[in-house]
Amino acid sequence: MEDKKTDKRKVQGAETKRKLVEIADRLFRERSYSDVSIEDITHEAGITKGAFYVHFASKDALIALLIADYTARTDADYKAVFDTFPPNMPASGVLLALTEKIADVLTGDIGYDNIKKIYQILLTGAVDAKAVKSYDRELYTLFYGILEQGIRKGEFQSDLPVEVLSRHFVMAIRGICIDWCIQYPNVDLKAQSLEHCQMLMQGLQNE
């Protein structure tokens, strides 16, 4: 009997946590994260603040979870698209196709308002957003694999380690994305990303 009660409490706890995450995600999309309080979240969830702290140490911890989950889903989407490319596709073509997909996700699926909010969170440093910044995330792994293959097959050449090259490609996209946020809507994120990707590849061409 005690085991059944324990299982029931676990299910209820998981459901409460899921509800908190879903409500917080919606509220953060509607407003700035700094304008959403724990009381706003718990009021809509119909629970007490004490119940909130059972699942999350703070609002920042909840935001960090949301960012980590969203980053993982986005990177999984990039990987799924990458897996559709023909195995004999030139590395340069794969890099351009992946860059185009990233730009489409940033502008379409995520959107300017949410990207701006994420960068605001990153710049304040108030929230642990290592899921976005980490060099262990799937996005860096994809660029690493493509560049490594291009060098191995003689399409690219470089004296720099592949790890450094992959970081530069991702940093370039991140920089263009920041510029997009600053100059929105006067910057075409996709066009700028593809142009910069081509410029980086020109420095790697094995002629």
Side-chain angles (χ1 to χ4, degrees), residues 91-99 102 106 135 139-140 142-144 146-148 151 156-158 160-177 192-205:
S92 57
V94 177
L95 284 172
L96 286 172
L98 179 59
T99 298
I102 292 170
L106 293 174
Y135 290 121
L139 182 60
Y140 286 96
L142 288 175
F143 274 97
Y144 185 98
I146 298 166
L147 290 164
E148 183 181 48
I151 292 174
F156 298 146
Q157 63 177 357
S158 177
L160 294 173
V162 180
E163 181 180 0
V164 173
L165 293 176
S166 61
R167 291 185 182 185
H168 275 289
F169 272 84
V170 176
M171 284 190 292
I173 294 174
R174 183 175 291 162
I176 294 167
C177 194
Q192 292 296 317
S193 296
L194 290 172
E195 180 180 340
H196 209 84
C197 182
Q198 289 173 324
M199 289 173 59
L200 288 173
M201 287 192 298
Q202 285 177 1
L204 299 175
Q205 295 297 328

Short mmCIF file of all heavy atoms in Angstrom, two decimals, residues 91-99 102 106 135 139-140 142-144 146-148 151 156-158 160-177 192-205:
data_model
loop_
_atom_site.label_atom_id
_atom_site.label_comp_id
_atom_site.label_asym_id
_atom_site.label_seq_id
_atom_site.Cartn_x
_atom_site.Cartn_y
_atom_site.Cartn_z
N ALA A 91 31.66 18.52 -48.30
CA ALA A 91 31.58 19.16 -46.99
C ALA A 91 31.13 20.61 -47.11
O ALA A 91 30.39 21.11 -46.25
CB ALA A 91 32.94 19.08 -46.30
N SER A 92 31.56 21.30 -48.17
CA SER A 92 31.15 22.69 -48.37
C SER A 92 29.65 22.80 -48.54
O SER A 92 29.01 23.72 -48.00
CB SER A 92 31.87 23.28 -49.58
OG SER A 92 31.60 22.51 -50.75
N GLY A 93 29.06 21.86 -49.27
CA GLY A 93 27.61 21.86 -49.46
C GLY A 93 26.88 21.57 -48.17
O GLY A 93 25.82 22.16 -47.90
N VAL A 94 27.43 20.66 -47.37
CA VAL A 94 26.81 20.32 -46.09
C VAL A 94 26.85 21.52 -45.15
O VAL A 94 25.87 21.83 -44.46
CB VAL A 94 27.51 19.10 -45.44
CG1 VAL A 94 26.89 18.81 -44.07
CG2 VAL A 94 27.38 17.88 -46.33
N LEU A 95 27.99 22.21 -45.11
CA LEU A 95 28.12 23.38 -44.24
C LEU A 95 27.10 24.46 -44.62
O LEU A 95 26.46 25.06 -43.75
CB LEU A 95 29.53 23.96 -44.33
CG LEU A 95 30.63 23.19 -43.59
CD1 LEU A 95 31.99 23.77 -43.92
CD2 LEU A 95 30.40 23.22 -42.08
N LEU A 96 26.94 24.69 -45.92
CA LEU A 96 25.99 25.71 -46.36
C LEU A 96 24.55 25.29 -46.06
O LEU A 96 23.73 26.10 -45.61
CB LEU A 96 26.14 25.96 -47.86
CG LEU A 96 27.38 26.76 -48.28
CD1 LEU A 96 27.53 26.76 -49.79
CD2 LEU A 96 27.29 28.19 -47.76
N ALA A 97 24.24 24.00 -46.27
CA ALA A 97 22.89 23.51 -46.01
C ALA A 97 22.56 23.57 -44.52
O ALA A 97 21.45 23.94 -44.13
CB ALA A 97 22.75 22.08 -46.53
N LEU A 98 23.53 23.21 -43.69
CA LEU A 98 23.32 23.26 -42.24
C LEU A 98 23.17 24.70 -41.78
O LEU A 98 22.30 25.01 -40.94
CB LEU A 98 24.49 22.60 -41.51
CG LEU A 98 24.43 22.61 -39.97
CD1 LEU A 98 23.17 21.88 -39.47
CD2 LEU A 98 25.68 21.97 -39.37
N THR A 99 24.00 25.59 -42.30
CA THR A 99 23.91 27.01 -41.95
C THR A 99 22.55 27.58 -42.34
O THR A 99 21.94 28.34 -41.58
CB THR A 99 25.03 27.81 -42.64
OG1 THR A 99 26.30 27.32 -42.19
CG2 THR A 99 24.93 29.29 -42.33
N ILE A 102 19.98 26.35 -39.84
CA ILE A 102 20.10 27.07 -38.57
C ILE A 102 19.42 28.44 -38.68
O ILE A 102 18.68 28.86 -37.80
CB ILE A 102 21.57 27.23 -38.18
CG1 ILE A 102 22.18 25.87 -37.82
CG2 ILE A 102 21.72 28.19 -37.00
CD1 ILE A 102 23.69 25.89 -37.65
N LEU A 106 16.27 29.83 -36.49
CA LEU A 106 16.40 31.04 -35.68
C LEU A 106 15.35 32.08 -36.05
O LEU A 106 14.73 32.70 -35.17
CB LEU A 106 17.79 31.65 -35.84
CG LEU A 106 18.96 30.82 -35.27
CD1 LEU A 106 20.30 31.47 -35.64
CD2 LEU A 106 18.84 30.69 -33.76
N TYR A 135 30.61 23.98 -25.42
CA TYR A 135 31.20 23.44 -26.64
C TYR A 135 30.95 21.94 -26.77
O TYR A 135 31.43 21.31 -27.71
CB TYR A 135 32.71 23.73 -26.64
CG TYR A 135 33.05 25.18 -26.83
CD1 TYR A 135 33.78 25.87 -25.88
CD2 TYR A 135 32.62 25.87 -27.96
CE1 TYR A 135 34.09 27.22 -26.05
CE2 TYR A 135 32.91 27.22 -28.13
CZ TYR A 135 33.65 27.88 -27.17
OH TYR A 135 33.94 29.21 -27.35
N LEU A 139 25.42 20.97 -31.70
CA LEU A 139 25.70 21.86 -32.82
C LEU A 139 27.19 21.92 -33.12
O LEU A 139 27.60 21.87 -34.29
CB LEU A 139 25.17 23.26 -32.50
CG LEU A 139 25.34 24.31 -33.60
CD1 LEU A 139 24.62 23.89 -34.87
CD2 LEU A 139 24.84 25.66 -33.13
N TYR A 140 28.03 22.03 -32.08
CA TYR A 140 29.48 22.04 -32.29
C TYR A 140 29.96 20.70 -32.84
O TYR A 140 30.84 20.64 -33.69
CB TYR A 140 30.20 22.35 -30.98
CG TYR A 140 30.09 23.79 -30.55
CD1 TYR A 140 29.14 24.19 -29.64
CD2 TYR A 140 30.96 24.76 -31.07
CE1 TYR A 140 29.03 25.52 -29.24
CE2 TYR A 140 30.87 26.08 -30.67
CZ TYR A 140 29.90 26.46 -29.76
OH TYR A 140 29.79 27.76 -29.37
N LEU A 142 28.35 18.69 -34.77
CA LEU A 142 28.01 18.61 -36.19
C LEU A 142 29.05 19.36 -37.03
O LEU A 142 29.55 18.82 -38.04
CB LEU A 142 26.62 19.20 -36.44
CG LEU A 142 25.43 18.38 -35.94
CD1 LEU A 142 24.13 19.15 -36.15
CD2 LEU A 142 25.36 17.04 -36.68
N PHE A 143 29.36 20.58 -36.65
CA PHE A 143 30.35 21.35 -37.41
C PHE A 143 31.72 20.66 -37.37
O PHE A 143 32.43 20.62 -38.37
CB PHE A 143 30.46 22.77 -36.86
CG PHE A 143 29.45 23.72 -37.45
CD1 PHE A 143 28.28 24.01 -36.78
CD2 PHE A 143 29.67 24.31 -38.69
CE1 PHE A 143 27.34 24.87 -37.32
CE2 PHE A 143 28.74 25.17 -39.24
CZ PHE A 143 27.57 25.46 -38.55
N TYR A 144 32.07 20.12 -36.22
CA TYR A 144 33.34 19.41 -36.08
C TYR A 144 33.41 18.24 -37.07
O TYR A 144 34.40 18.06 -37.79
CB TYR A 144 33.50 18.90 -34.65
CG TYR A 144 34.83 18.24 -34.37
CD1 TYR A 144 35.86 18.95 -33.76
CD2 TYR A 144 35.07 16.91 -34.73
CE1 TYR A 144 37.09 18.35 -33.50
CE2 TYR A 144 36.29 16.31 -34.49
CZ TYR A 144 37.30 17.03 -33.88
OH TYR A 144 38.52 16.43 -33.64
N ILE A 146 31.70 17.69 -39.85
CA ILE A 146 31.72 18.12 -41.25
C ILE A 146 33.10 18.63 -41.65
O ILE A 146 33.63 18.26 -42.71
CB ILE A 146 30.66 19.23 -41.48
CG1 ILE A 146 29.26 18.71 -41.19
CG2 ILE A 146 30.74 19.73 -42.93
CD1 ILE A 146 28.22 19.79 -41.08
N LEU A 147 33.68 19.47 -40.82
CA LEU A 147 35.00 20.02 -41.12
C LEU A 147 36.08 18.95 -41.12
O LEU A 147 36.98 18.94 -41.96
CB LEU A 147 35.34 21.12 -40.10
CG LEU A 147 34.52 22.40 -40.24
CD1 LEU A 147 34.63 23.26 -38.98
CD2 LEU A 147 34.97 23.20 -41.46
N GLU A 148 35.98 18.03 -40.18
CA GLU A 148 36.95 16.93 -40.12
C GLU A 148 36.89 16.10 -41.39
O GLU A 148 37.92 15.71 -41.95
CB GLU A 148 36.67 16.07 -38.89
CG GLU A 148 37.68 14.94 -38.70
CD GLU A 148 37.34 14.08 -37.48
OE1 GLU A 148 36.15 13.69 -37.33
OE2 GLU A 148 38.26 13.81 -36.71
N ILE A 151 38.47 17.98 -44.34
CA ILE A 151 39.93 17.95 -44.29
C ILE A 151 40.46 16.56 -44.64
O ILE A 151 41.43 16.41 -45.38
CB ILE A 151 40.42 18.39 -42.90
CG1 ILE A 151 40.12 19.88 -42.69
CG2 ILE A 151 41.92 18.11 -42.73
CD1 ILE A 151 40.43 20.38 -41.29
N PHE A 156 39.23 20.51 -47.73
CA PHE A 156 39.69 21.65 -46.93
C PHE A 156 41.11 21.39 -46.45
O PHE A 156 41.55 20.24 -46.36
CB PHE A 156 38.81 21.87 -45.70
CG PHE A 156 37.38 22.20 -46.00
CD1 PHE A 156 36.36 21.75 -45.17
CD2 PHE A 156 37.03 22.96 -47.11
CE1 PHE A 156 35.04 22.06 -45.42
CE2 PHE A 156 35.70 23.28 -47.38
CZ PHE A 156 34.72 22.82 -46.54
N GLN A 157 41.80 22.48 -46.11
CA GLN A 157 43.09 22.36 -45.46
C GLN A 157 43.23 23.50 -44.45
O GLN A 157 42.77 24.61 -44.69
CB GLN A 157 44.24 22.40 -46.46
CG GLN A 157 44.36 23.71 -47.23
CD GLN A 157 45.58 23.72 -48.15
OE1 GLN A 157 46.35 22.76 -48.16
NE2 GLN A 157 45.75 24.80 -48.89
N SER A 158 43.86 23.20 -43.33
CA SER A 158 44.06 24.21 -42.31
C SER A 158 45.11 23.75 -41.31
O SER A 158 45.22 22.55 -41.01
CB SER A 158 42.74 24.50 -41.57
OG SER A 158 42.94 25.42 -40.52
N LEU A 160 44.98 24.97 -38.31
CA LEU A 160 44.27 25.05 -37.04
C LEU A 160 43.59 23.72 -36.72
O LEU A 160 43.15 23.01 -37.63
CB LEU A 160 43.21 26.16 -37.09
CG LEU A 160 43.71 27.59 -37.22
CD1 LEU A 160 42.53 28.54 -37.43
CD2 LEU A 160 44.50 27.99 -35.97
N PRO A 161 43.49 23.37 -35.45
CA PRO A 161 42.76 22.15 -35.06
C PRO A 161 41.30 22.25 -35.49
O PRO A 161 40.72 23.34 -35.53
CB PRO A 161 42.90 22.13 -33.54
CG PRO A 161 44.07 22.99 -33.24
CD PRO A 161 44.08 24.06 -34.28
N VAL A 162 40.70 21.12 -35.81
CA VAL A 162 39.30 21.11 -36.23
C VAL A 162 38.40 21.67 -35.14
O VAL A 162 37.40 22.34 -35.43
CB VAL A 162 38.86 19.66 -36.59
CG1 VAL A 162 37.39 19.64 -37.03
CG2 VAL A 162 39.73 19.10 -37.69
N GLU A 163 38.76 21.43 -33.89
CA GLU A 163 37.97 21.94 -32.78
C GLU A 163 37.89 23.46 -32.83
O GLU A 163 36.83 24.06 -32.61
CB GLU A 163 38.58 21.50 -31.45
CG GLU A 163 37.81 21.97 -30.23
CD GLU A 163 38.44 21.51 -28.93
OE1 GLU A 163 39.48 20.82 -28.99
OE2 GLU A 163 37.90 21.85 -27.87
N VAL A 164 39.02 24.11 -33.14
CA VAL A 164 39.05 25.57 -33.23
C VAL A 164 38.23 26.05 -34.41
O VAL A 164 37.47 27.02 -34.32
CB VAL A 164 40.51 26.06 -33.35
CG1 VAL A 164 40.54 27.57 -33.61
CG2 VAL A 164 41.29 25.72 -32.09
N LEU A 165 38.34 25.37 -35.54
CA LEU A 165 37.59 25.74 -36.73
C LEU A 165 36.08 25.67 -36.49
O LEU A 165 35.33 26.57 -36.87
CB LEU A 165 37.96 24.84 -37.91
CG LEU A 165 39.38 24.96 -38.45
CD1 LEU A 165 39.63 23.92 -39.54
CD2 LEU A 165 39.65 26.36 -38.99
N SER A 166 35.66 24.58 -35.85
CA SER A 166 34.22 24.40 -35.59
C SER A 166 33.69 25.50 -34.68
O SER A 166 32.58 26.00 -34.87
CB SER A 166 33.95 23.02 -35.00
OG SER A 166 34.62 22.84 -33.76
N ARG A 167 34.50 25.91 -33.72
CA ARG A 167 34.08 26.99 -32.83
C ARG A 167 33.93 28.30 -33.59
O ARG A 167 33.01 29.08 -33.35
CB ARG A 167 35.07 27.16 -31.68
CG ARG A 167 35.08 26.01 -30.69
CD ARG A 167 35.99 26.29 -29.52
NE ARG A 167 36.03 25.17 -28.59
CZ ARG A 167 36.67 25.19 -27.43
NH1 ARG A 167 37.32 26.27 -27.06
NH2 ARG A 167 36.66 24.13 -26.65
N HIS A 168 34.83 28.53 -34.54
CA HIS A 168 34.76 29.76 -35.32
C HIS A 168 33.49 29.81 -36.17
O HIS A 168 32.88 30.88 -36.32
CB HIS A 168 36.00 29.90 -36.20
CG HIS A 168 37.17 30.52 -35.49
ND1 HIS A 168 37.19 31.86 -35.14
CD2 HIS A 168 38.33 29.98 -35.05
CE1 HIS A 168 38.34 32.13 -34.53
NE2 HIS A 168 39.04 31.01 -34.45
N PHE A 169 33.09 28.68 -36.73
CA PHE A 169 31.87 28.66 -37.53
C PHE A 169 30.65 28.97 -36.66
O PHE A 169 29.77 29.74 -37.05
CB PHE A 169 31.70 27.31 -38.22
CG PHE A 169 32.39 27.23 -39.55
CD1 PHE A 169 33.74 26.92 -39.64
CD2 PHE A 169 31.68 27.47 -40.72
CE1 PHE A 169 34.37 26.86 -40.88
CE2 PHE A 169 32.30 27.41 -41.96
CZ PHE A 169 33.66 27.11 -42.04
N VAL A 170 30.61 28.38 -35.48
CA VAL A 170 29.47 28.63 -34.59
C VAL A 170 29.51 30.05 -34.05
O VAL A 170 28.47 30.71 -33.96
CB VAL A 170 29.45 27.61 -33.44
CG1 VAL A 170 28.33 27.93 -32.45
CG2 VAL A 170 29.27 26.19 -33.98
N MET A 171 30.71 30.54 -33.71
CA MET A 171 30.83 31.91 -33.23
C MET A 171 30.40 32.91 -34.29
O MET A 171 29.82 33.96 -33.99
CB MET A 171 32.27 32.20 -32.78
CG MET A 171 32.62 31.59 -31.43
SD MET A 171 34.22 32.18 -30.79
CE MET A 171 35.36 31.45 -31.96
N ALA A 172 30.68 32.60 -35.55
CA ALA A 172 30.27 33.48 -36.64
C ALA A 172 28.75 33.59 -36.70
O ALA A 172 28.20 34.70 -36.82
CB ALA A 172 30.82 32.96 -37.97
N ILE A 173 28.07 32.47 -36.61
CA ILE A 173 26.61 32.48 -36.63
C ILE A 173 26.07 33.24 -35.43
O ILE A 173 25.13 34.03 -35.54
CB ILE A 173 26.07 31.04 -36.65
CG1 ILE A 173 26.45 30.36 -37.97
CG2 ILE A 173 24.55 31.02 -36.47
CD1 ILE A 173 26.09 28.90 -38.05
N ARG A 174 26.67 33.02 -34.27
CA ARG A 174 26.23 33.71 -33.06
C ARG A 174 26.42 35.22 -33.19
O ARG A 174 25.54 36.00 -32.81
CB ARG A 174 27.00 33.18 -31.85
CG ARG A 174 26.56 33.78 -30.53
CD ARG A 174 27.30 33.12 -29.39
NE ARG A 174 26.87 31.74 -29.21
CZ ARG A 174 27.56 30.82 -28.54
NH1 ARG A 174 28.71 31.14 -27.99
NH2 ARG A 174 27.10 29.59 -28.41
N GLY A 175 27.55 35.63 -33.76
CA GLY A 175 27.80 37.05 -33.94
C GLY A 175 26.82 37.69 -34.91
O GLY A 175 26.32 38.80 -34.67
N ILE A 176 26.52 36.99 -35.99
CA ILE A 176 25.56 37.50 -36.96
C ILE A 176 24.18 37.57 -36.34
O ILE A 176 23.40 38.50 -36.59
CB ILE A 176 25.54 36.61 -38.22
CG1 ILE A 176 26.89 36.72 -38.94
CG2 ILE A 176 24.40 37.00 -39.16
CD1 ILE A 176 27.10 35.67 -40.01
N CYS A 177 23.87 36.60 -35.49
CA CYS A 177 22.58 36.58 -34.81
C CYS A 177 22.44 37.78 -33.87
O CYS A 177 21.36 38.40 -33.80
CB CYS A 177 22.43 35.27 -34.04
SG CYS A 177 20.75 34.95 -33.47
N GLN A 192 23.17 36.79 -44.55
CA GLN A 192 24.43 37.11 -43.90
C GLN A 192 25.15 35.86 -43.40
O GLN A 192 26.38 35.76 -43.50
CB GLN A 192 24.20 38.08 -42.73
CG GLN A 192 23.75 39.47 -43.15
CD GLN A 192 24.82 40.20 -43.95
OE1 GLN A 192 26.00 40.14 -43.62
NE2 GLN A 192 24.41 40.87 -45.02
N SER A 193 24.39 34.91 -42.88
CA SER A 193 24.99 33.67 -42.37
C SER A 193 25.62 32.87 -43.50
O SER A 193 26.74 32.35 -43.38
CB SER A 193 23.93 32.82 -41.66
OG SER A 193 23.42 33.49 -40.52
N LEU A 194 24.91 32.75 -44.62
CA LEU A 194 25.44 32.00 -45.77
C LEU A 194 26.66 32.69 -46.37
O LEU A 194 27.64 32.03 -46.73
CB LEU A 194 24.35 31.82 -46.82
CG LEU A 194 23.20 30.88 -46.45
CD1 LEU A 194 22.09 30.93 -47.49
CD2 LEU A 194 23.71 29.45 -46.29
N GLU A 195 26.59 34.02 -46.46
CA GLU A 195 27.73 34.77 -47.00
C GLU A 195 28.96 34.59 -46.12
O GLU A 195 30.08 34.39 -46.62
CB GLU A 195 27.37 36.25 -47.10
CG GLU A 195 28.49 37.12 -47.66
CD GLU A 195 28.11 38.59 -47.75
OE1 GLU A 195 26.90 38.90 -47.74
OE2 GLU A 195 29.03 39.43 -47.83
N HIS A 196 28.77 34.64 -44.81
CA HIS A 196 29.92 34.51 -43.90
C HIS A 196 30.45 33.07 -43.91
O HIS A 196 31.67 32.86 -43.83
CB HIS A 196 29.50 34.89 -42.48
CG HIS A 196 30.62 35.43 -41.66
ND1 HIS A 196 31.03 36.75 -41.70
CD2 HIS A 196 31.47 34.82 -40.80
CE1 HIS A 196 32.05 36.93 -40.89
NE2 HIS A 196 32.35 35.77 -40.34
N CYS A 197 29.56 32.10 -44.02
CA CYS A 197 29.99 30.70 -44.12
C CYS A 197 30.86 30.50 -45.35
O CYS A 197 31.90 29.83 -45.29
CB CYS A 197 28.77 29.79 -44.16
SG CYS A 197 29.16 28.02 -44.23
N GLN A 198 30.46 31.09 -46.46
CA GLN A 198 31.24 30.97 -47.69
C GLN A 198 32.61 31.65 -47.54
O GLN A 198 33.62 31.13 -48.02
CB GLN A 198 30.47 31.59 -48.86
CG GLN A 198 29.26 30.77 -49.27
CD GLN A 198 28.40 31.47 -50.32
OE1 GLN A 198 28.25 32.68 -50.30
NE2 GLN A 198 27.86 30.70 -51.24
N MET A 199 32.63 32.78 -46.85
CA MET A 199 33.90 33.47 -46.63
C MET A 199 34.86 32.63 -45.79
O MET A 199 36.05 32.53 -46.07
CB MET A 199 33.64 34.82 -45.92
CG MET A 199 32.98 35.86 -46.80
SD MET A 199 32.50 37.35 -45.87
CE MET A 199 34.09 37.87 -45.23
N LEU A 200 34.31 31.97 -44.74
CA LEU A 200 35.14 31.12 -43.91
C LEU A 200 35.66 29.92 -44.69
O LEU A 200 36.83 29.52 -44.56
CB LEU A 200 34.34 30.64 -42.69
CG LEU A 200 34.04 31.68 -41.61
CD1 LEU A 200 33.09 31.11 -40.57
CD2 LEU A 200 35.34 32.14 -40.94
N MET A 201 34.81 29.36 -45.56
CA MET A 201 35.23 28.20 -46.35
C MET A 201 36.28 28.56 -47.37
O MET A 201 37.15 27.73 -47.69
CB MET A 201 34.01 27.56 -47.02
CG MET A 201 33.10 26.81 -46.08
SD MET A 201 31.88 25.78 -46.95
CE MET A 201 30.97 27.03 -47.86
N GLN A 202 36.25 29.79 -47.89
CA GLN A 202 37.26 30.21 -48.86
C GLN A 202 38.66 30.13 -48.27
O GLN A 202 39.63 29.83 -48.96
CB GLN A 202 36.97 31.64 -49.32
CG GLN A 202 35.81 31.75 -50.29
CD GLN A 202 35.50 33.19 -50.68
OE1 GLN A 202 36.18 34.11 -50.23
NE2 GLN A 202 34.48 33.37 -51.50
N GLY A 203 38.75 30.39 -46.97
CA GLY A 203 40.06 30.31 -46.31
C GLY A 203 40.52 28.88 -46.07
O GLY A 203 41.66 28.65 -45.67
N LEU A 204 39.61 27.92 -46.32
CA LEU A 204 39.95 26.51 -46.10
C LEU A 204 40.08 25.72 -47.40
O LEU A 204 40.43 24.55 -47.36
CB LEU A 204 38.85 25.84 -45.24
CG LEU A 204 38.61 26.41 -43.85
CD1 LEU A 204 37.41 25.72 -43.20
CD2 LEU A 204 39.85 26.24 -42.98
N GLN A 205 39.76 26.37 -48.53
CA GLN A 205 39.76 25.65 -49.79
C GLN A 205 41.15 25.12 -50.11
O GLN A 205 42.16 25.82 -50.01
CB GLN A 205 39.30 26.57 -50.94
CG GLN A 205 37.87 27.03 -50.82
CD GLN A 205 36.85 25.89 -50.87
OE1 GLN A 205 37.09 24.88 -51.55
NE2 GLN A 205 35.74 26.04 -50.18
#
